[in-house]
Amino acid sequence: MTDVVARLRAAVGDRVDTGAAAREAARADKSGFRADARPLAVVHAASTADVQAVLRIAHETRTPVVARGAGTGLAGGANAGAGEIALSLRGMDRILEVSPDDLVAVVEPGVVNADLNAALAPHGLWWAPDPASRAISTVGGNIATGAGGLLCAKYGVVRDAVLGLDVVLADGRLIRTGHRSVKGVTGLDLTALLIGSEGTLGIVVGATLKLRRLVQGEVCTLTAVFPDVRAAAAASAAVTATGAQPAVMELLDAAAVAAVSAHLGQVVGAPGSAQLTVQTDGPAAAAEAEAIAAVLARGGGDVSLTRDREEGERLLAFRRAMHPAIEARGTALIEDVSVPRSRLPEMFDEIARVERQHGVAIPTVAHAGDGNLHPNFVFDGAEVPQRIWDAADDLFRAALRLGGTLTGEHGVGVLKRRWLADELGDDQWRLQRDIARVFDPHGILNPGKVFAPES
Amino acid sequence: MTDVVARLRAAVGDRVDTGAAAREAARADKSGFRADARPLAVVHAASTADVQAVLRIAHETRTPVVARGAGTGLAGGANAGAGEIALSLRGMDRILEVSPDDLVAVVEPGVVNADLNAALAPHGLWWAPDPASRAISTVGGNIATGAGGLLCAKYGVVRDAVLGLDVVLADGRLIRTGHRSVKGVTGLDLTALLIGSEGTLGIVVGATLKLRRLVQGEVCTLTAVFPDVRAAAAASAAVTATGAQPAVMELLDAAAVAAVSAHLGQVVGAPGSAQLTVQTDGPAAAAEAEAIAAVLARGGGDVSLTRDREEGERLLAFRRAMHPAIEARGTALIEDVSVPRSRLPEMFDEIARVERQHGVAIPTVAHAGDGNLHPNFVFDGAEVPQRIWDAADDLFRAALRLGGTLTGEHGVGVLKRRWLADELGDDQWRLQRDIARVFDPHGILNPGKVFAPES
């Protein structure tokens, strides 16, 4: 082990950090999960050559490597433990190219999503993926998890917004996948396979991103308070049935509204109320917003509508306070199931059933336009108690029964690996694991994540 | 061999076709390439169970299986030869579900793209991929090749329009990949990996498609004739630089204009003229069309603009006559390179250079909005002459030098496999081939396609 660290130092010098603070930080992400112990070292990579040097040493010494961006993951996917090298890409944060003509940017993985978008805005461009963590999460982390966000129903997920990747393989070789053009079908789509692979296939050291032009026109914002979550979910379904395409459509259930109300000291509706927040944009923004307001009112909603951006941000602030409100109550396990959006009302019924049967409150926010829900389990202490896992297990199985999936945008990491085969089936689980072994024959890339050892 | 056919007959009865006509047809696709000899048999699968039965027999007897849809491919990807089973999915053409609420359709692979869209239209829905072959090609074939089309810059490619797949593996097992929701990151994205894999990884027997609502509003069509292809390419670049997002933007170079003019007996511009055809749609269609007309005129174009759909189809007819015009001149090798769209003018320079150096005419049409070009090599007889391959080789390498790719939407098949490693690099080529071996350890899935034997 000291030999590994010595070899790392010989290769990349003082970018090897064996300080207690850095190693301790690398045990954790934002999920609450911590690895069993501190990793051997944190390497702060400054270049592709650094990453290649680290992987060559890891390959020769069979030392596990855990790639990390900003550590904002919610599934324990980037937590480094005993005997492992934490490889931080955070310092590789250059924007190498912005091409308005090709609607392409070439970036290093450590650039923060919001910083990239700030740099793109003067060109009239943006990169659409907008995870709630966008102010603190890196593009590389967004790619590793296949991140989503609030705007996905209209503007797509990470998988729709990456054209090519530079990837260091498990033995230190570098490959370039994909294209700089919208079209390209030369060979297998390794770009897509790498997106969401959570550090198990290779280390992303560069990305060619597909950009969009900034949306012209006004942004309209609506909120509507409903007597209960069923009514709110039905109203969101009614909105999509009209053919309107909101940019944002966020649903807070009664427990979530209660938590945020308490946190902000701002009462919203009668007890039991649920809230829907909708934004429209583009040339038809105002007309769509008016039509949506009518639909929400017909569905029993108490509607506020504004065409003013600042006032719109104030209306969205209630939704944005969800995460701090939950964190103020204790430790949160933030779940991430996704169901076909037509099944949202049933999924809320299932959440209510799980709450009753397990005696836990599960304040939930949903991206109603795309069927992705974040049920929050709140508890005391650092470890997720078994009764919470039991409730989460019940909830996951309900989502799968409704044709849904275990994770819409956070990834599998450590925390959901035990349910992976339930969704994929044993045949597909083994096929996926065998594909990962082609990339990583010695099992040194983020071992124990996504693919738990076979039981 | 007779044993294999006998076993197939025992399993799927008279859906095994050993007639000369069917076997002869299965040697070919629309590329002009023919397999060395007729396959053992054509199996007309009627169900997933049929496909599984065929694959179990193929697996046990190590007999190659070539999946086919309508046989409209342009790269020799579905041509079945000596000792092989041609497995036709064309008869599996049911539309199993259309869900307007979830914007999802579940279909069998043999449904023709245009038939699917005809069935979706009454629901106000469409599946966006629109290869030029859409009237005759199947959804399964579109998926197997990762097809593109005319609308891709605005509405995406097949990869953006498929949520999940039902796939029969090489040994006959069935897996289901992907989701019914926009979001989903549970495990590796095998759906994306299978798209464009040209029958080398598994047999697609079902697909969950991501639909769009039919675009509301008018469709405006423009044509503009330019003195030469450089001017036309510069004008198309000027259009994209304005931020306008045409649905269609097709560029015919001088040789293409000459060929279509001769074919239709309709003179367009002075000799040497090139033509650009543009369509806009959606709520801003008319405003965008007016702005684009001004840009094209400033670029030296002689512009026609109509807001009438029928008149628009008449303007597009010249572009649509390209393929018949080429076919009328002889056998055509239709190439499919793609470059970053900002490099289009340079790519046209390279095509002119290749024409001069190799003494061949290469009439070319480009999807100018996404940088995908179809240079056509016309020759006499059935076999591609070596001098044509030499010119094509020169052209492929020019596209790669410009940051482009060998194939934008037709696939690799047999015809482009010898250039695959040039684009991927040897490391990635081997990695891709090894991934294919995980799916197909005995090499029975479309052997010799995409991954040529190592030289």
Side-chain angles (χ1 to χ4, degrees):
Chain A
M1 293 303 178
T2 34
D3 177 54
V4 171
V5 174
R7 289 187 62 177
L8 290 172
R9 275 199 211 287
V12 299
D14 62 5
R15 292 191 288 283
V16 181
D17 186 346
T18 52
R23 288 164 56 221
E24 184 62 25
R27 286 176 63 193
D29 64 0
K30 294 242 176 229
S31 70
F33 170 77
R34 299 181 82 75
D36 50 356
R38 294 173 185 166
L40 288 177
V42 179
V43 178
H44 303 282
S47 67
T48 296
D50 282 357
V51 174
Q52 292 188 275
V54 169
L55 269 291
R56 278 193 289 264
I57 292 166
H59 173 71
E60 286 168 19
T61 59
R62 306 291 190 257
T63 310
V65 175
V66 180
R68 284 176 71 84
T72 62
L74 291 168
N79 304 41
E84 298 184 329
I85 301 165
L87 177 56
S88 172
L89 287 313
R90 182 66 186 84
M92 290 176 64
D93 62 356
R94 289 180 302 164
I95 299 168
L96 301 172
E97 182 194 342
V98 176
S99 167
D101 287 343
D102 290 334
L103 293 178
V104 157
V106 180
V107 304
E108 291 185 331
V111 63
V112 167
N113 181 311
D115 293 345
L116 170 63
N117 278 303
L120 294 175
H123 299 279
L125 303 172
W126 63 305
W127 190 54
D130 72 322
S133 62
R134 68 192 181 286
I136 52 173
S137 63
T138 64
V139 169
N142 297 165
I143 290 170
T145 52
L150 275 62
L151 301 169
C152 300
K154 185 162 188 177
Y155 294 111
V157 293
V158 166
R159 186 132 31 233
D160 305 312
V162 178
L163 295 171
L165 294 172
D166 300 339
V167 180
V168 174
L169 299 176
D171 60 6
R173 284 174 299 154
L174 176 70
I175 62 169
R176 302 201 157 178
T177 73
H179 315 94
R180 274 180 66 97
S181 47
V182 175
K183 289 179 181 170
V185 291
T186 305
L188 303 178
D189 189 355
L190 296 195
T191 307
L193 188 68
L194 283 152
I195 293 169
S197 65
E198 303 188 44
T200 65
L201 303 186
I203 313 291
V204 172
V205 292
T208 302
L209 306 177
K210 184 178 173 184
L211 306 179
R212 289 175 175 271
R213 292 187 195 278
L214 284 170
V215 178
Q216 301 298 314
E218 59 187 331
V219 173
C220 300
T221 308
L222 306 99
T223 58
V225 178
F226 293 87
D228 55 50
V229 70
R230 256 276 176 184
S236 79
V239 168
T240 57
T242 65
Q245 179 57 281
V248 167
M249 186 155 65
E250 297 284 298
L251 196 167
L252 296 187
D253 76 355
V257 167
V260 177
S261 290
H263 186 65
L264 298 179
Q266 174 187 341
V267 175
V268 166
S273 294
Q275 191 219 40
L276 203 59
T277 307
V278 181
Q279 274 192 333
T280 60
D281 64 3
E288 280 194 330
E290 293 289 348
I292 289 170
V295 170
L296 298 181
R298 274 201 299 279
D302 179 9
V303 182
S304 307
L305 163 62
T306 179
R307 297 170 66 162
D308 180 82
R309 284 202 190 215
E310 275 184 40
E311 177 61 20
E313 272 307 308
R314 274 194 291 278
L315 292 179
L316 251 179
F318 194 85
R319 157 66 185 93
R320 290 203 198 278
M322 172 76 177
H323 193 59
I326 296 298
E327 283 197 320
R329 302 197 145 202
T331 313
L333 176 69
I334 305 176
E335 282 314 329
D336 178 39
V337 294
S338 209
V339 295
R341 63 187 185 188
S342 64
R343 314 302 290 270
L344 261 186
E346 286 161 274
M347 190 65 216
F348 277 110
D349 288 348
E350 290 283 356
I351 292 170
R353 179 189 60 73
V354 172
E355 286 183 311
R356 281 194 310 275
Q357 288 188 358
H358 294 264
V360 292
I362 314 176
T364 297
V365 57
H367 307 305
D370 63 37
N372 183 205
L373 303 99
H374 297 305
N376 289 263
F377 296 88
V378 185
F379 51 91
D380 295 325
E383 287 281 297
V384 181
Q386 188 55 45
R387 67 184 179 85
I388 296 290
W389 278 129
D390 291 343
D393 175 79
D394 198 349
L395 187 135
F396 293 155
R397 292 178 197 285
L400 294 182
R401 277 197 305 276
L402 291 174
T405 180
L406 199 54
T407 171
E409 56 188 11
H410 293 169
V412 176
V414 164
L415 295 183
K416 271 167 226 148
R417 63 186 184 183
R418 70 173 115 155
W419 290 276
L420 186 60
D422 291 329
E423 179 170 335
L424 299 183
D426 289 338
D427 285 340
Q428 190 182 172
W429 188 95
R430 254 180 246 114
L431 180 63
Q432 293 203 2
R433 197 264 329 265
D434 289 349
I435 292 168
R437 281 188 182 162
V438 170
F439 285 84
D440 179 26
H442 302 297
I444 63 169
L445 292 178
N446 216 9
K449 313 291 168 54
V450 186
F451 302 104
E454 271 180 286
S455 54
Chain B
M1 291 301 177
T2 33
D3 178 54
V4 170
V5 173
R7 289 187 62 176
L8 290 171
R9 276 199 210 287
V12 300
D14 62 5
R15 292 190 289 285
V16 180
D17 185 346
T18 53
R23 287 163 57 221
E24 184 62 24
R27 286 177 63 194
D29 64 0
K30 293 243 175 229
S31 70
F33 171 77
R34 299 181 83 75
D36 50 357
R38 294 174 186 164
L40 288 177
V42 178
V43 178
H44 302 282
S47 67
T48 297
D50 282 355
V51 175
Q52 291 187 277
V54 169
L55 270 290
R56 278 192 291 264
I57 293 166
H59 173 71
E60 286 167 20
T61 59
R62 306 289 189 257
T63 309
V65 175
V66 181
R68 284 178 71 84
T72 62
L74 291 169
N79 303 42
E84 299 183 328
I85 301 166
L87 176 57
S88 172
L89 287 314
R90 181 65 186 83
M92 291 177 64
D93 63 355
R94 288 180 303 163
I95 298 169
L96 301 172
E97 181 194 342
V98 176
S99 167
D101 287 344
D102 290 334
L103 292 178
V104 158
V106 180
V107 304
E108 291 185 331
V111 63
V112 166
N113 180 310
D115 293 343
L116 170 63
N117 277 302
L120 293 175
H123 299 279
L125 302 173
W126 64 304
W127 190 54
D130 71 321
S133 61
R134 67 193 182 286
I136 52 173
S137 64
T138 64
V139 169
N142 297 165
I143 290 170
T145 52
L150 274 63
L151 301 169
C152 300
K154 185 162 189 178
Y155 294 111
V157 292
V158 166
R159 187 129 36 230
D160 306 312
V162 179
L163 294 171
L165 294 172
D166 301 339
V167 181
V168 174
L169 299 176
D171 59 6
R173 284 174 299 154
L174 176 70
I175 63 169
R176 302 200 156 179
T177 72
H179 316 94
R180 275 180 66 97
S181 48
V182 175
K183 288 178 180 172
V185 291
T186 305
L188 303 178
D189 187 355
L190 295 196
T191 306
L193 188 68
L194 284 152
I195 293 169
S197 66
E198 302 187 44
T200 64
L201 304 186
I203 314 292
V204 172
V205 291
T208 301
L209 306 177
K210 182 178 173 185
L211 306 179
R212 290 174 175 270
R213 292 187 196 280
L214 284 170
V215 179
Q216 300 296 315
E218 59 188 332
V219 172
C220 300
T221 308
L222 305 98
T223 57
V225 179
F226 294 86
D228 55 50
V229 70
R230 257 276 173 184
S236 78
V239 169
T240 56
T242 66
Q245 179 59 280
V248 167
M249 185 155 64
E250 297 285 297
L251 196 166
L252 296 187
D253 75 355
V257 168
V260 177
S261 291
H263 187 64
L264 298 180
Q266 174 188 342
V267 175
V268 166
S273 293
Q275 191 219 39
L276 204 58
T277 308
V278 181
Q279 272 191 334
T280 60
D281 64 5
E288 279 193 331
E290 294 288 348
I292 290 170
V295 170
L296 298 180
R298 273 200 301 278
D302 179 10
V303 182
S304 306
L305 163 62
T306 179
R307 296 169 67 162
D308 181 80
R309 285 202 190 215
E310 275 184 40
E311 177 61 19
E313 272 307 308
R314 275 194 290 278
L315 292 180
L316 251 178
F318 194 84
R319 157 64 185 93
R320 291 203 199 277
M322 170 77 177
H323 193 59
I326 295 299
E327 282 196 321
R329 302 197 144 200
T331 313
L333 176 69
I334 305 175
E335 283 314 328
D336 179 41
V337 295
S338 209
V339 295
R341 62 186 186 189
S342 63
R343 313 302 290 272
L344 261 186
E346 286 161 274
M347 190 65 215
F348 278 110
D349 288 348
E350 290 283 357
I351 292 170
R353 179 189 61 71
V354 172
E355 287 183 312
R356 281 194 311 275
Q357 288 189 359
H358 295 264
V360 292
I362 313 175
T364 297
V365 57
H367 308 304
D370 62 38
N372 184 204
L373 302 100
H374 297 305
N376 289 264
F377 296 88
V378 185
F379 52 91
D380 296 323
E383 287 281 297
V384 181
Q386 188 56 44
R387 64 183 181 85
I388 297 290
W389 278 128
D390 291 343
D393 175 80
D394 198 348
L395 186 136
F396 293 156
R397 292 179 197 284
L400 295 181
R401 277 197 305 277
L402 292 173
T405 181
L406 199 53
T407 171
E409 57 189 10
H410 294 170
V412 175
V414 164
L415 295 183
K416 272 167 224 146
R417 62 186 185 182
R418 69 174 116 157
W419 290 275
L420 186 61
D422 291 329
E423 179 170 337
L424 299 183
D426 289 338
D427 286 341
Q428 189 182 172
W429 187 95
R430 254 181 244 112
L431 180 62
Q432 293 203 2
R433 197 263 331 263
D434 289 350
I435 292 168
R437 282 189 180 160
V438 170
F439 284 85
D440 179 26
H442 302 297
I444 62 169
L445 292 178
N446 216 8
K449 313 292 167 56
V450 187
F451 302 104
E454 270 181 288
S455 54

